[in-house]
Amino acid sequence: QVYLAESGGGLIQAGESLRLSCRSIGRTFNHYAMGWFRQAPGKEREVVATISDSGDETYYATSVKDRFTISREHIMDTVYLQMSSLKPEDTATYYCAAPKRGITTAQATAIYGADGMEHWGKGTLVTVSS
């Protein structure tokens, strides 16, 4: 069963901004660390950004650092990815994911990577045109 739903993707021009949302469905992930991942055609799924259960700790891949911001709103049980200065190489399907229960830090979530995630959304496509 899918408990996470991403939204906010679309077609956008290079240099513009976009905000993705990941909403919990049918259960809460407020006590989990969470992560955003992306997968471009022909490439492996890679971690983009992660956030601790409390929201106080974050991690960013080098390729998106200083351009993307991950945040969460516990009352809405939602995690966001604010993306700025988008580049064509950011084009991918973006997924949110939650690791196994007990993994609560952003750093650990990033280290576990895609293989360590237990819950996935279906993804939202972001296309950045040049």
Side-chain angles (χ1 to χ4, degrees):
Q1 190 166 353
V2 178
Y3 298 107
L4 297 168
E6 303 92 339
S7 61
L11 174 62
I12 197 166
Q13 297 268 352
E16 294 185 341
S17 300
L18 201 62
R19 189 177 82 158
L20 305 182
S21 299
C22 172
R23 181 172 58 90
S24 301
I25 304 169
R27 59 169 294 175
T28 180
F29 287 93
N30 277 340
H31 302 295
Y32 287 70
M34 297 290 292
W36 282 98
F37 294 75
R38 69 185 181 187
Q39 188 166 20
K43 294 190 176 181
E44 291 189 358
R45 195 168 297 190
E46 61 176 0
V47 61
V48 174
T50 62
I51 189 166
S52 63
D53 58 345
S54 66
D56 293 339
E57 179 204 1
T58 57
Y59 164 90
Y60 296 95
T62 301
S63 59
V64 306
K65 205 167 187 178
D66 299 326
R67 299 190 299 121
F68 290 11
T69 302
I70 188 171
S71 62
R72 68 189 306 166
E73 193 172 8
H74 286 98
I75 195 168
M76 299 296 291
D77 219 331
T78 300
V79 179
Y80 303 98
L81 185 68
Q82 178 67 46
M83 305 185 294
S84 303
S85 302
L86 281 160
K87 305 174 181 179
E89 50 263 43
D90 294 318
T91 295
T93 298
Y94 284 72
Y95 301 87
C96 69
K100 299 174 184 177
R101 187 71 186 264
I103 299 173
T104 59
T105 70
Q107 190 73 16
T109 303
I111 290 172
Y112 275 96
D115 289 342
M117 299 301 106
E118 187 168 27
H119 303 280
W120 290 93
K122 292 184 177 180
T124 185
L125 178 62
V126 174
T127 304
V128 185
S129 64
S130 56

